[in-house]
Amino acid sequence: MDPARSHNPNSSYQNPQSAYRRHRDAGGRNHSENKRSRPNHHQYQSGPTPPQNPRSSQELSTRRELYERDFPVYKQPVEVGCFSLDSERRFFNDSRRMKYYVEPDRNPNFDLKDGYKDRYIRRDESEKEKLDHILRWILANKSKLSSKVTTASSCALDFDFVTWRGHLTKLLTTPYETREGWLLAVSRFRGTLYISEVETEAARREQESRTERHKEMMYWGYKFEQYTCADDVHSSPDPGGVVNTNEAFCTVVQTRLADHRLLFSGEVDCRDKDPNAPAPPACYVELKTSAEICTPKQRSNFHRFKLLKWWAQSFLPGVPRVVAGFKDEEGVVVTVDTFPISKISQLIKNEQNCWKPTVCMNFCCDFLSFVKQIATEDNPSVVYLFSWEPRRDVTFSIHRDSQYSFLPHWFVEEMTSSHDSHRQP
Ligand code: A3P
Ligand code: MG
């Protein structure tokens, strides 16, 4: 029996029986030893026997079978704030770019190609923003976040990890990923581990060699958002307007995965416009497009690959539903369907060799434990660079004052400054 299903991870975030324990290994910084030993995964299992201290390990396996155990505790994510980015990518500590979902016809015939040539402003992807927007949000909300006053002049966050939701999505899907590797830079600062993605060589090459067709298809997803979202509760979508991908509304949520206290942010497409809808993040809606499904093989691929990505992305922040526009080869949305996140594990249950939510969450959890064990030096200019390629183990290297440092001076200084008027006495 599949333990993931028995735990119904999508409707219940808490597994009260999980006696998950953390054991930090004080060693493990000499990565040049490059031992081939595997982490003792079975020692992290839930159950009445306390796990043993894991051996020091310099690599982390991504083999699926190592992560097939009980679903870990994942607390219901709570929204602690939000921010908006305007048409010029300027940060605002509010919800001004929130959009409202307007349910379309089931067969709407939306032409996603419309406006690509003349009403499209594309965000400059070469501008690497790293964690900057989240760090701005943290500074703007420092008083409600920092409870531990460590010295008379500074504060620490009550979180083990700060990152983007998208980075966590990549971790969740890693045991099933066969094509794209990743690089994640980690710095420990005042006890919190900040995780920021670094573009891989392969991703840079892929971006530079994108075909015109591919570039146009990337626009289609945003165009679908424009057809289904309004700027205000009482207005209607405006398909004649400009699609500007600089604009964003982001939620900031806190939660806990086993003993990892997480603060992360993710872009939210829109919310239910009913004023009686549940509070965020339960009122949020994720919009997606996908190729229309005409054959059993296409349905199987949709379950095995698309639904994995959709589930991982929305499960993390507690977004309860995905509204999908199925498009034909001409870029016309022919059908719209809603996928409740809590129903996705049932949808895939008849699929052979399919992905399992528990493997995704346990791998992410063990990766975060691995990071805690390795990234021990508390110094914002030291980066532990974690690297993964399909069919390989996760490895790391250490960099001081290098091109990889990503915590900006303005953040480090303000977090250490004695002139914080918001800090609690
Ligand atoms: P679809 O995924 O519906 O095609 P998101 O759904 O994550 O909010 O992303 C919105 C849209 O951005 C996507 O819509 C797609 O059009 C575009 N997009 C995002 N990431 C992409 C990627 N890695 N490759 C291609 N398109 C991407
Ligand atoms: Mg979307």
Side-chain angles (χ1 to χ4, degrees), residues 126-144:
S126 66
E127 192 68 50
K128 299 299 174 203
E129 299 173 324
K130 295 173 269 194
L131 296 188
D132 288 5
H133 296 305
I134 301 178
L135 303 181
R136 274 185 202 105
W137 181 87
I138 288 174
L139 291 185
N141 294 276
K142 211 160 96 176
S143 56
K144 67 178 178 192

Side-chain angles (χ1 to χ4, degrees), residues 64 173 176 178-179 297-311 348 354-355:
R64 295 164 199 174
T173 58
Y176 299 102
T178 55
R179 290 188 304 199
K297 179 76 183 161
Q298 287 168 345
R299 178 164 306 278
S300 174
N301 284 339
F302 172 73
H303 287 163
R304 293 164 61 86
F305 305 112
K306 268 283 159 79
L307 284 186
L308 164 60
K309 299 252 158 97
W310 292 5
W311 174 82
I348 62 169
C354 204
W355 57 277

Side-chain angles (χ1 to χ4, degrees), residues 358-376:
T358 201
V359 169
C360 301
M361 297 303 280
N362 281 318
F363 172 72
C364 181
C365 187
D366 283 12
F367 174 77
L368 298 178
S369 301
F370 183 58
V371 169
K372 276 183 179 170
Q373 176 207 308
I374 300 298
T376 51

